[in-house]
Amino acid sequence: MDDGLLAVRAAEGDEDAFAVLVRRHSSRMLALARHLLGSRTDAEDAVQDAFLSAWRRLPEFQHTASFATWMYRIVTNRCLSTLRRRTRPLPLDAIPEPAATGSDSSPPHVAEIDAATAALTAALQKLSPELRVCWVLRELHGLHYDEIAHVTGSSEQTVRGRLFRARRALTEAMRPWR
């Protein structure tokens, strides 16, 4: 069953239909929130709040975008609110680093990958929330410019500009790793 039909049924009070939507989209939403917030606990809270909000607001869902895009917007807004409330920066080790893959998993190579990942994490945290959101949605979640514009409530041109500035800042920050 597609998301649109499930959303209609959920808006009519079908809890099972909404449970299917939550199962189908929760891992992507959690990944987005973790990339934006850096903390698994904060990410889980944001996603849980976002799905509760979506459940309450389903009758207002216009179906002008996909359910996934609508959820990306709700989760992004929750994360931006959390970031605005923060008073201290995240520790650099707050985001788990990916495991080394491939044939060269020697300790020096793994240490170099870990250091590069930490540098990228630090560079991402230095970006403004608006730039970080656009970069994460495009580069890590593969959303198209029009979808990002819908999620962020801005124009495609604004999204393109933010992505350009984010990529330029990240390229500069990662220059020592080339």
Side-chain angles (χ1 to χ4, degrees), residues 26-48:
S26 61
S27 63
R28 282 186 289 165
M29 298 304 134
L30 185 58
L32 169 64
R34 286 184 69 186
H35 286 115
L36 295 178
L37 299 174
S39 162
R40 180 170 182 81
T41 305
D42 288 346
E44 289 171 348
D45 289 345
V47 170
Q48 183 177 12

Side-chain angles (χ1 to χ4, degrees), residues 1-11 14-29 51 54-55 58 61 63 67-68 70-71:
M1 194 175 300
D2 76 330
D3 285 355
L5 182 56
L6 287 169
V8 168
R9 290 179 61 182
D14 186 343
E15 293 178 13
D16 292 333
F18 189 70
V20 170
L21 290 169
V22 170
R23 277 192 305 276
R24 191 175 286 174
H25 297 283
S26 61
S27 63
R28 282 186 289 165
M29 298 304 134
F51 275 114
W55 172 251
L58 264 171
F61 179 47
H63 300 276
F67 179 81
W70 187 61
M71 282 307 304

